[in-house]
Amino acid sequence: MADEDSLASRYMANIDLLLKYISIRMYDGSTHTLLKSFELLERLIQMTEESQQQQQARMPTSSSWTDYEVQAVLPALIGRLGDAKEVVRARSRRLLTQLITHLYPPTKLFTTLLEHGVINKSNARIRQESLDCLAFLIRERTAGLGLSAVCAQPTRAIPIIAQGIADRDSNVRTATLNVLVTVGEQLPGGADELWRLCGRIAEKERTMLEEKLKRSIIGVGSSSSQAGGDIGGMRPNSRAGLAPPVGIRARSSQYGAPAGSASGPGSRPASAIGRPTMAAGGGSLPRNGSGIGAGGSMGAGRLARPGGGPSTSAQSYGTSDSGMANDYSAYSQQPQRQ
């Protein structure tokens, strides 16, 4: 037991050298060497956790990995996410998302994945796998504390992630949309706050994100709340807010408003609907059938003179009672055909 404790203490004293050696061996082309390097790294993490539990009372922070030690191996481990073999990528994902987080703060791991994986321009698979790791950290490592538990600077990180929507690789675009939806689920403001964090996005990429949000929990919740607000704002049986159908409105304007009814705003008066157009002289047609009222004139082309030719715009039919009598007497004195 003493020998094991002595060996573990030696490992902890020289762990920076071991991590550097592992990172160098990770660039080896041999799959067997890669897998052995992963096994050694997993064993070092296990020994560090055991040592941390034993020495927690005396030195609570003595067995945690420092930034210098972790940064010696993390870039090489992120680079293995782009390996062609699935077994290598799976071991890398497990180390990044499940083991190293026990010894390294998730906020710093999030930043390292962003700097060495998401913005990697040489390998699309590294970008995709790094985005998947970010989505896993947001879902599993927030512990109900929100996005701040894994992302220290959302205003800086989210715009960088959103740039992946325009990536030429379809897998990267899909992974980016998944991360943004996961981020929106952790934000108090939901989709609205996510749009503010993303900043300016091109129209094509904005449409893609909108469609993804509509199919997510955020989109369903916002749509249902908006529909409920619209239904609650309607006033049933409200005459002021509802206009009559088009057909009814057209027929009412043709036949005129009922007698004694008040005309609404924008409607024509009942006296002006369904009547011939009157000339500028004024007057109105009589309702008792006694003839054309005095002073009343009608426009040209409406009625023709009984015994004359076509009327002009200056002529009128029956401008006075005496004129109408003279015309009738002249007409009656003409010889009638036997």
Side-chain angles (χ1 to χ4, degrees):
M1 187 68 180
D3 295 337
E4 292 180 1
D5 295 339
S6 176
L7 184 60
S9 62
R10 292 177 183 179
Y11 282 149
M12 294 301 101
N14 300 281
I15 193 171
D16 57 335
L17 298 177
L18 294 173
L19 293 176
K20 288 181 180 179
Y21 176 77
I22 292 173
S23 64
I24 293 173
R25 303 307 299 176
M26 281 185 181
Y27 291 101
D28 198 316
S30 174
T31 305
H32 180 74
T33 304
L34 283 173
L35 297 178
K36 289 297 182 181
S37 300
F38 291 148
E39 290 179 5
L40 178 58
L41 183 57
E42 292 172 359
R43 180 57 182 163
L44 287 177
I45 294 174
Q46 181 182 359
M47 293 177 63
T48 304
E49 291 178 349
E50 294 174 355
S51 177
Q52 186 176 7
Q53 294 175 0
Q54 295 174 0
Q55 300 178 3
Q56 187 173 6
R58 294 181 301 168
M59 293 177 291
T61 61
S62 61
S63 298
S64 299
W65 287 2
T66 63
D67 294 339
Y68 174 77
E69 294 168 348
V70 175
Q71 292 299 325
V73 71
L74 266 185
L77 192 59
I78 294 173
R80 289 298 91 195
L81 291 174
D83 196 276
K85 298 179 178 61
E86 174 60 27
V87 61
V88 177
R89 297 198 302 270
R91 296 287 290 273
S92 300
R93 284 195 301 268
R94 181 173 180 271
L95 283 165
L96 287 170
T97 58
Q98 300 181 22
L99 298 181
I100 291 183
T101 53
H102 297 169
L103 304 174
Y104 198 60
T107 53
K108 296 182 178 181
L109 179 59
F110 191 97
T111 304
T112 306
L113 282 168
L114 196 66
E115 294 176 352
H116 294 275
V118 175
I119 63 176
N120 188 293
K121 301 298 182 182
S122 59
N123 195 324
R125 188 171 290 170
I126 293 178
R127 296 195 296 271
Q128 174 200 344
E129 294 286 348
S130 299
L131 289 167
D132 291 340
C133 291
L134 292 182
F136 181 87
L137 291 176
I138 296 172
R139 286 194 307 266
E140 304 297 334
R141 300 299 178 183
T142 52
L145 301 177
L147 185 63
S148 59
V150 295
C151 183
Q153 297 178 341
T155 55
R156 174 180 174 270
I158 303 305
I160 296 177
I161 296 174
Q163 295 176 4
I165 307 177
D167 198 278
R168 60 181 179 271
D169 189 88
S170 60
N171 295 326
V172 177
R173 294 195 298 268
T174 303
T176 302
L177 294 174
N178 292 335
V179 173
L180 293 177
V181 170
T182 308
V183 169
E185 294 174 357
Q186 299 293 331
L187 294 174
D192 296 335
E193 188 173 355
L194 177 63
W195 286 115
R196 290 194 296 268
L197 290 176
C198 289
R200 293 185 178 181
I201 305 178
E203 185 65 25
K204 180 180 178 181
E205 288 74 27
R206 187 180 185 87
T207 304
M208 295 171 62
L209 183 55
E210 286 177 352
E211 293 297 327
K212 187 69 175 179
L213 289 174
K214 287 179 182 178
R215 296 191 298 266
S216 65
I217 302 176
I218 308 175
V220 172
S222 61
S223 300
S224 61
S225 61
Q226 183 178 3
D230 294 341
I231 294 173
M234 290 181 63
R235 293 177 296 176
N237 300 328
S238 176
R239 297 179 179 270
L242 300 178
V246 178
I248 298 176
R249 185 166 61 249
R251 290 194 295 271
S252 64
S253 64
Q254 179 180 359
Y255 296 105
S261 62
S263 58
S267 62
R268 297 172 61 188
S271 60
I273 300 176
R275 289 189 176 188
T277 305
M278 308 304 295
S284 61
L285 291 174
R287 298 182 181 273
N288 54 5
S290 61
I292 308 299
S297 62
M298 299 184 64
R302 293 286 183 178
L303 295 174
R305 295 172 62 89
S311 61
T312 61
S313 60
Q315 294 175 342
S316 64
Y317 178 73
T319 57
S320 64
D321 293 340
S322 60
M324 180 179 177
N326 294 333
D327 291 341
Y328 179 74
S329 61
Y331 177 76
S332 62
Q333 293 175 4
Q334 293 181 1
Q336 298 181 358
R337 180 178 301 177
Q338 297 297 331

Coordinates of all heavy atoms in Angstrom, one line a residue, residues 126-201:
I126 N -13.8 18.1 -37.0 CA -13.4 18.7 -35.7 C -14.5 19.7 -35.3 O -14.9 19.8 -34.1 CB -12.0 19.3 -35.7 CG1 -11.0 18.2 -35.9 CG2 -11.7 20.1 -34.5 CD1 -9.6 18.7 -36.0
R127 N -14.9 20.6 -36.2 CA -15.9 21.6 -35.9 C -17.2 20.9 -35.4 O -17.8 21.4 -34.4 CB -16.1 22.5 -37.1 CG -14.9 23.3 -37.5 CD -15.3 24.4 -38.4 NE -15.8 24.0 -39.7 CZ -15.1 23.7 -40.8 NH1 -13.8 23.8 -40.7 NH2 -15.7 23.3 -41.9
Q128 N -17.6 19.9 -36.1 CA -18.9 19.3 -35.8 C -18.8 18.6 -34.4 O -19.7 18.8 -33.6 CB -19.2 18.2 -36.9 CG -20.4 17.4 -36.5 CD -20.5 16.1 -37.3 OE1 -19.8 15.9 -38.3 NE2 -21.3 15.1 -36.8
E129 N -17.7 17.8 -34.2 CA -17.6 17.1 -32.9 C -17.5 18.1 -31.7 O -18.0 17.9 -30.6 CB -16.4 16.2 -32.9 CG -16.6 15.0 -33.9 CD -17.5 14.0 -33.4 OE1 -17.9 14.0 -32.2 OE2 -17.9 13.1 -34.2
S130 N -16.8 19.2 -32.0 CA -16.6 20.2 -30.9 C -18.0 20.9 -30.6 O -18.3 21.1 -29.4 CB -15.6 21.3 -31.3 OG -14.3 20.7 -31.6
L131 N -18.8 21.1 -31.6 CA -20.1 21.7 -31.3 C -21.0 20.7 -30.6 O -21.8 21.0 -29.7 CB -20.7 22.0 -32.7 CG -20.1 23.3 -33.4 CD1 -20.6 23.4 -34.8 CD2 -20.5 24.5 -32.6
D132 N -20.9 19.4 -30.9 CA -21.6 18.4 -30.2 C -21.2 18.3 -28.7 O -22.0 18.1 -27.8 CB -21.4 17.0 -30.9 CG -22.1 16.9 -32.2 OD1 -23.0 17.7 -32.5 OD2 -21.7 16.0 -33.0
C133 N -19.9 18.5 -28.5 CA -19.4 18.5 -27.1 C -19.9 19.7 -26.3 O -20.3 19.6 -25.2 CB -17.9 18.5 -27.1 SG -17.1 16.9 -27.6
L134 N -20.0 20.8 -27.0 CA -20.6 22.0 -26.4 C -22.1 21.8 -26.0 O -22.5 22.2 -25.0 CB -20.4 23.2 -27.3 CG -19.0 23.8 -27.6 CD1 -19.0 25.0 -28.5 CD2 -18.3 24.1 -26.3
A135 N -22.8 21.2 -27.0 CA -24.2 20.9 -26.7 C -24.4 20.0 -25.5 O -25.3 20.2 -24.7 CB -24.9 20.4 -27.9
F136 N -23.5 19.0 -25.4 CA -23.5 18.1 -24.3 C -23.2 18.8 -22.9 O -23.9 18.6 -21.9 CB -22.6 16.9 -24.5 CG -22.5 15.9 -23.4 CD1 -23.4 14.9 -23.4 CD2 -21.7 16.0 -22.3 CE1 -23.4 13.9 -22.3 CE2 -21.6 15.1 -21.3 CZ -22.5 14.1 -21.3
L137 N -22.2 19.7 -23.0 CA -21.9 20.4 -21.7 C -23.1 21.3 -21.3 O -23.4 21.4 -20.1 CB -20.7 21.3 -22.0 CG -19.3 20.5 -22.1 CD1 -18.2 21.5 -22.5 CD2 -19.0 19.7 -20.9
I138 N -23.7 21.9 -22.3 CA -24.8 22.8 -21.9 C -26.0 22.1 -21.3 O -26.7 22.5 -20.4 CB -25.3 23.7 -23.1 CG1 -24.1 24.6 -23.6 CG2 -26.5 24.5 -22.8 CD1 -24.4 25.3 -24.9
R139 N -26.3 20.9 -21.9 CA -27.4 20.1 -21.4 C -27.1 19.4 -20.1 O -28.0 19.4 -19.2 CB -27.8 19.0 -22.4 CG -28.5 19.5 -23.7 CD -29.1 18.3 -24.5 NE -28.0 17.3 -24.7 CZ -27.3 17.3 -25.9 NH1 -27.6 18.2 -26.8 NH2 -26.4 16.3 -26.1
E140 N -25.9 18.9 -19.9 CA -25.7 18.0 -18.7 C -24.9 18.7 -17.6 O -24.9 18.2 -16.5 CB -24.9 16.8 -19.2 CG -25.5 16.0 -20.3 CD -26.9 15.4 -19.9 OE1 -27.0 15.2 -18.7 OE2 -27.7 15.2 -20.8
R141 N -24.2 19.8 -17.9 CA -23.3 20.3 -16.8 C -23.8 21.7 -16.3 O -23.1 22.3 -15.5 CB -21.9 20.5 -17.4 CG -21.2 19.2 -17.9 CD -21.1 18.2 -16.8 NE -20.5 17.0 -17.2 CZ -20.3 15.9 -16.4 NH1 -20.6 16.0 -15.2 NH2 -19.8 14.8 -16.9
T142 N -25.0 22.1 -16.7 CA -25.5 23.3 -16.1 C -26.0 23.2 -14.7 O -26.0 24.1 -13.9 CB -26.6 23.9 -17.0 OG1 -27.6 22.9 -17.3 CG2 -26.0 24.3 -18.4
A143 N -26.5 22.0 -14.4 CA -27.0 21.7 -13.0 C -28.1 22.7 -12.6 O -28.2 23.0 -11.4 CB -25.9 21.7 -12.0
G144 N -29.0 23.1 -13.5 CA -30.0 24.0 -13.2 C -29.6 25.4 -12.9 O -30.4 26.2 -12.5
L145 N -28.4 25.8 -13.2 CA -27.9 27.1 -13.0 C -27.9 28.0 -14.2 O -27.5 29.2 -14.1 CB -26.4 27.1 -12.4 CG -26.2 26.3 -11.1 CD1 -24.8 26.2 -10.7 CD2 -27.1 26.9 -10.0
G146 N -28.3 27.5 -15.3 CA -28.4 28.3 -16.5 C -27.1 28.2 -17.3 O -26.2 27.5 -17.0
L147 N -27.1 29.0 -18.4 CA -25.9 29.0 -19.3 C -24.7 29.5 -18.6 O -23.6 29.0 -19.0 CB -26.3 29.8 -20.5 CG -25.2 29.9 -21.6 CD1 -25.1 28.5 -22.3 CD2 -25.6 30.9 -22.7
S148 N -24.7 30.3 -17.6 CA -23.5 30.8 -17.0 C -22.7 29.7 -16.3 O -21.6 30.0 -16.0 CB -23.9 31.9 -16.0 OG -24.8 31.3 -15.0
A149 N -23.3 28.6 -16.0 CA -22.6 27.5 -15.4 C -21.5 26.9 -16.3 O -20.5 26.3 -15.8 CB -23.5 26.4 -14.9
V150 N -21.7 27.0 -17.6 CA -20.7 26.4 -18.5 C -20.1 27.5 -19.5 O -19.0 27.2 -20.1 CB -21.3 25.3 -19.4 CG1 -21.7 24.2 -18.5 CG2 -22.5 25.8 -20.2
C151 N -20.7 28.6 -19.6 CA -20.2 29.7 -20.5 C -20.1 31.0 -19.8 O -21.1 31.6 -19.3 CB -21.2 29.8 -21.7 SG -20.6 31.0 -23.0
A152 N -18.9 31.4 -19.6 CA -18.6 32.6 -18.8 C -19.0 33.9 -19.5 O -19.4 34.9 -18.9 CB -17.2 32.7 -18.3
Q153 N -18.8 33.9 -20.9 CA -19.1 35.1 -21.7 C -20.0 34.7 -22.8 O -19.5 34.5 -24.0 CB -17.7 35.7 -22.2 CG -16.8 36.1 -21.1 CD -15.5 36.7 -21.6 OE1 -15.1 36.4 -22.7 NE2 -14.8 37.4 -20.8
P154 N -21.3 34.7 -22.6 CA -22.2 34.3 -23.7 C -22.2 35.4 -24.9 O -22.3 35.0 -26.0 CB -23.5 34.3 -23.1 CG -23.3 34.1 -21.6 CD -22.0 34.8 -21.4
T155 N -22.0 36.6 -24.5 CA -22.0 37.7 -25.6 C -20.8 37.5 -26.5 O -20.9 38.0 -27.7 CB -21.9 39.1 -24.9 OG1 -20.8 39.1 -24.1 CG2 -23.2 39.3 -24.1
R156 N -19.8 36.9 -26.1 CA -18.6 36.6 -27.0 C -18.7 35.3 -27.7 O -18.3 35.1 -28.8 CB -17.3 36.7 -26.2 CG -16.1 36.4 -27.0 CD -14.8 36.5 -26.2 NE -13.7 36.0 -26.9 CZ -13.2 34.7 -26.8 NH1 -13.9 33.8 -26.1 NH2 -12.2 34.4 -27.5
A157 N -19.2 34.3 -27.0 CA -19.2 32.9 -27.5 C -20.3 32.6 -28.5 O -20.1 32.0 -29.5 CB -19.3 31.9 -26.3
I158 N -21.5 33.1 -28.2 CA -22.7 32.8 -29.0 C -22.5 33.3 -30.5 O -22.8 32.6 -31.4 CB -24.0 33.3 -28.4 CG1 -24.1 32.7 -27.0 CG2 -25.2 32.9 -29.3 CD1 -24.0 31.2 -27.0
P159 N -22.1 34.6 -30.7 CA -21.8 35.0 -32.1 C -20.8 34.2 -32.8 O -21.0 33.9 -34.0 CB -21.3 36.4 -31.9 CG -21.9 36.9 -30.6 CD -21.9 35.7 -29.7
I160 N -19.8 33.6 -32.2 CA -18.8 32.8 -32.8 C -19.5 31.5 -33.2 O -19.3 30.9 -34.3 CB -17.6 32.5 -31.9 CG1 -16.9 33.9 -31.6 CG2 -16.7 31.5 -32.5 CD1 -15.7 33.7 -30.7
I161 N -20.3 30.9 -32.3 CA -21.0 29.7 -32.6 C -22.0 29.9 -33.8 O -22.1 29.0 -34.7 CB -21.7 29.2 -31.4 CG1 -20.7 28.8 -30.3 CG2 -22.6 27.9 -31.7 CD1 -21.3 28.4 -29.0
A162 N -22.7 31.0 -33.8 CA -23.7 31.3 -34.8 C -23.1 31.4 -36.2 O -23.8 31.2 -37.2 CB -24.5 32.6 -34.5
Q163 N -21.8 31.7 -36.3 CA -21.2 31.7 -37.6 C -21.2 30.4 -38.3 O -21.1 30.3 -39.6 CB -19.8 32.2 -37.5 CG -19.7 33.7 -37.1 CD -18.2 34.1 -36.9 OE1 -17.3 33.4 -37.1 NE2 -18.0 35.4 -36.4
G164 N -21.3 29.3 -37.6 CA -21.3 28.0 -38.1 C -22.6 27.7 -39.0 O -22.6 26.7 -39.7
I165 N -23.6 28.5 -38.9 CA -24.8 28.3 -39.7 C -24.5 28.4 -41.2 O -25.1 27.8 -42.0 CB -26.0 29.2 -39.3 CG1 -26.2 29.2 -37.7 CG2 -27.2 28.9 -40.0 CD1 -27.2 30.1 -37.2
A166 N -23.5 29.3 -41.5 CA -23.1 29.5 -42.9 C -22.0 28.6 -43.3 O -21.5 28.8 -44.4 CB -22.7 31.0 -43.0
D167 N -21.7 27.6 -42.5 CA -20.6 26.7 -42.9 C -21.0 25.9 -44.2 O -22.2 25.5 -44.4 CB -20.3 25.7 -41.8 CG -18.9 25.0 -41.9 OD1 -18.9 24.0 -42.7 OD2 -18.0 25.5 -41.3
R168 N -20.0 25.5 -45.0 CA -20.3 24.8 -46.2 C -20.6 23.3 -46.0 O -21.1 22.6 -46.8 CB -19.1 24.9 -47.1 CG -17.8 24.3 -46.6 CD -16.6 24.5 -47.6 NE -15.4 24.0 -47.0 CZ -14.5 24.7 -46.3 NH1 -14.8 26.0 -46.0 NH2 -13.4 24.2 -45.8
D169 N -20.3 22.8 -44.8 CA -20.6 21.4 -44.4 C -21.9 21.3 -43.8 O -22.2 22.0 -42.8 CB -19.5 20.9 -43.5 CG -19.6 19.4 -43.3 OD1 -19.0 18.6 -44.1 OD2 -20.3 19.0 -42.4
S170 N -22.8 20.4 -44.3 CA -24.1 20.3 -43.7 C -24.1 19.8 -42.3 O -25.0 20.2 -41.5 CB -25.0 19.4 -44.6 OG -24.4 18.1 -44.7
N171 N -23.2 18.9 -41.9 CA -23.1 18.4 -40.6 C -22.8 19.5 -39.6 O -23.3 19.5 -38.4 CB -22.1 17.2 -40.5 CG -22.5 16.0 -41.3 OD1 -23.7 15.7 -41.4 ND2 -21.6 15.3 -41.9
V172 N -21.9 20.4 -40.0 CA -21.5 21.5 -39.1 C -22.7 22.4 -38.9 O -23.0 22.9 -37.8 CB -20.3 22.3 -39.7 CG1 -20.0 23.5 -38.8 CG2 -19.1 21.3 -39.8
R173 N -23.5 22.7 -40.0 CA -24.6 23.5 -39.9 C -25.7 22.9 -38.9 O -26.2 23.6 -38.1 CB -25.3 23.8 -41.3 CG -24.4 24.5 -42.2 CD -25.2 25.0 -43.4 NE -25.7 24.0 -44.2 CZ -25.1 23.4 -45.2 NH1 -23.9 23.8 -45.6 NH2 -25.7 22.4 -45.9
T174 N -25.9 21.6 -39.1 CA -26.9 21.0 -38.2 C -26.4 21.0 -36.7 O -27.2 21.3 -35.8 CB -27.1 19.5 -38.6 OG1 -27.5 19.5 -40.0 CG2 -28.1 18.8 -37.7
A175 N -25.1 20.8 -36.5 CA -24.6 20.8 -35.1 C -24.7 22.2 -34.5 O -25.0 22.4 -33.3 CB -23.1 20.3 -35.1
T176 N -24.4 23.2 -35.4 CA -24.5 24.6 -34.9 C -26.0 25.0 -34.5 O -26.2 25.6 -33.4 CB -24.1 25.6 -36.0 OG1 -22.7 25.3 -36.4 CG2 -24.1 27.0 -35.5
L177 N -26.9 24.6 -35.3 CA -28.3 24.8 -35.0 C -28.7 24.1 -33.7 O -29.5 24.7 -32.8 CB -29.2 24.4 -36.1 CG -29.1 25.2 -37.4 CD1 -29.9 24.6 -38.5 CD2 -29.5 26.6 -37.2
N178 N -28.3 22.9 -33.5 CA -28.6 22.2 -32.3 C -28.0 22.9 -31.0 O -28.7 23.0 -30.0 CB -28.0 20.7 -32.3 CG -28.7 19.9 -33.4 OD1 -29.9 20.2 -33.7 ND2 -28.1 18.9 -33.9
V179 N -26.8 23.4 -31.1 CA -26.2 24.1 -30.0 C -27.0 25.4 -29.7 O -27.2 25.7 -28.5 CB -24.7 24.4 -30.3 CG1 -24.1 25.3 -29.2 CG2 -23.9 23.2 -30.4
L180 N -27.4 26.1 -30.7 CA -28.1 27.4 -30.5 C -29.5 27.1 -29.9 O -29.9 27.8 -29.0 CB -28.3 28.1 -31.8 CG -27.0 28.7 -32.4 CD1 -27.2 29.3 -33.8 CD2 -26.3 29.7 -31.5
V181 N -30.1 26.0 -30.3 CA -31.4 25.7 -29.7 C -31.2 25.3 -28.2 O -32.0 25.7 -27.3 CB -32.1 24.6 -30.4 CG1 -33.3 24.0 -29.7 CG2 -32.5 25.0 -31.8
T182 N -30.1 24.5 -27.9 CA -29.8 24.2 -26.5 C -29.5 25.4 -25.7 O -29.9 25.5 -24.5 CB -28.6 23.2 -26.5 OG1 -28.9 22.1 -27.4 CG2 -28.4 22.6 -25.1
V183 N -28.8 26.4 -26.3 CA -28.5 27.6 -25.6 C -29.8 28.3 -25.3 O -30.0 28.9 -24.2 CB -27.6 28.5 -26.4 CG1 -27.5 29.9 -25.8 CG2 -26.2 27.9 -26.5
G184 N -30.7 28.4 -26.3 CA -32.0 29.1 -26.0 C -32.8 28.5 -24.9 O -33.5 29.2 -24.2
E185 N -32.7 27.2 -24.8 CA -33.5 26.5 -23.7 C -32.9 26.9 -22.3 O -33.7 26.8 -21.3 CB -33.4 25.0 -23.9 CG -34.1 24.5 -25.2 CD -33.9 23.0 -25.4 OE1 -33.1 22.4 -24.6 OE2 -34.4 22.5 -26.3
Q186 N -31.7 27.3 -22.2 CA -31.1 27.6 -20.9 C -31.2 29.1 -20.6 O -30.9 29.5 -19.5 CB -29.6 27.2 -20.9 CG -29.4 25.7 -21.1 CD -29.8 24.9 -19.9 OE1 -29.9 25.4 -18.8 NE2 -30.2 23.7 -20.2
L187 N -31.6 29.9 -21.6 CA -31.7 31.4 -21.4 C -33.0 31.7 -20.8 O -34.1 31.2 -21.1 CB -31.5 32.1 -22.7 CG -30.2 32.0 -23.4 CD1 -30.2 32.7 -24.7 CD2 -29.1 32.6 -22.5
P188 N -33.1 32.7 -19.8 CA -34.3 33.1 -19.2 C -35.3 33.7 -20.2 O -36.5 33.6 -20.2 CB -33.9 34.1 -18.1 CG -32.5 33.8 -17.9 CD -31.9 33.3 -19.2
G189 N -34.7 34.5 -21.2 CA -35.5 35.1 -22.2 C -35.9 34.3 -23.4 O -36.6 34.7 -24.3
G190 N -35.4 33.0 -23.4 CA -35.8 32.1 -24.5 C -35.3 32.6 -25.9 O -34.1 33.0 -26.0
A191 N -36.1 32.5 -26.9 CA -35.7 32.8 -28.3 C -35.4 34.2 -28.4 O -34.4 34.6 -29.2 CB -36.8 32.4 -29.2
D192 N -36.1 35.1 -27.8 CA -35.8 36.6 -27.9 C -34.4 36.9 -27.5 O -33.6 37.7 -28.1 CB -36.8 37.4 -27.1 CG -38.2 37.2 -27.7 OD1 -38.3 36.9 -28.9 OD2 -39.2 37.4 -26.9
E193 N -34.0 36.4 -26.3 CA -32.6 36.6 -25.8 C -31.6 36.0 -26.7 O -30.5 36.5 -26.9 CB -32.5 36.1 -24.4 CG -31.2 36.5 -23.7 CD -31.2 36.2 -22.3 OE1 -32.2 35.7 -21.7 OE2 -30.1 36.3 -21.6
L194 N -31.9 34.8 -27.3 CA -31.0 34.1 -28.2 C -30.7 35.0 -29.4 O -29.6 35.1 -29.9 CB -31.5 32.8 -28.6 CG -30.7 32.0 -29.6 CD1 -29.4 31.6 -29.1 CD2 -31.5 30.7 -30.0
W195 N -31.8 35.6 -30.0 CA -31.6 36.4 -31.2 C -30.7 37.6 -30.8 O -29.9 38.0 -31.7 CB -32.9 36.9 -31.7 CG -33.8 35.9 -32.4 CD1 -35.0 35.4 -32.0 CD2 -33.4 35.3 -33.6 NE1 -35.4 34.5 -32.9 CE2 -34.5 34.4 -33.9 CE3 -32.4 35.4 -34.5 CZ2 -34.5 33.6 -35.1 CZ3 -32.4 34.6 -35.6 CH2 -33.4 33.7 -35.9
R196 N -30.8 38.2 -29.6 CA -30.0 39.3 -29.3 C -28.5 38.9 -29.1 O -27.6 39.6 -29.5 CB -30.5 39.9 -28.0 CG -31.8 40.7 -28.1 CD -32.1 41.5 -26.8 NE -32.2 40.7 -25.7 CZ -33.4 40.2 -25.2 NH1 -34.5 40.5 -25.9 NH2 -33.4 39.5 -24.1
L197 N -28.3 37.7 -28.6 CA -26.9 37.2 -28.4 C -26.3 36.9 -29.8 O -25.1 37.0 -29.9 CB -26.9 36.0 -27.5 CG -27.2 36.3 -26.0 CD1 -27.2 34.9 -25.3 CD2 -26.1 37.2 -25.4
C198 N -27.1 36.4 -30.7 CA -26.5 36.0 -32.0 C -26.0 37.2 -32.8 O -25.1 37.1 -33.6 CB -27.5 35.2 -32.8 SG -27.9 33.5 -32.2
G199 N -26.6 38.3 -32.6 CA -26.2 39.5 -33.4 C -26.8 39.5 -34.8 O -27.8 38.9 -35.1
R200 N -26.0 40.1 -35.7 CA -26.5 40.1 -37.1 C -26.2 38.8 -37.8 O -25.1 38.3 -37.8 CB -25.7 41.3 -37.8 CG -26.1 42.7 -37.4 CD -25.4 43.7 -38.2 NE -25.8 45.1 -37.8 CZ -25.4 46.2 -38.4 NH1 -24.5 46.1 -39.4 NH2 -25.8 47.4 -37.9
I201 N -27.3 38.3 -38.5 CA -27.2 37.1 -39.2 C -27.8 37.3 -40.6 O -28.7 38.1 -40.7 CB -27.9 35.9 -38.5 CG1 -27.4 35.8 -37.1 CG2 -27.8 34.6 -39.3 CD1 -28.2 34.7 -36.3

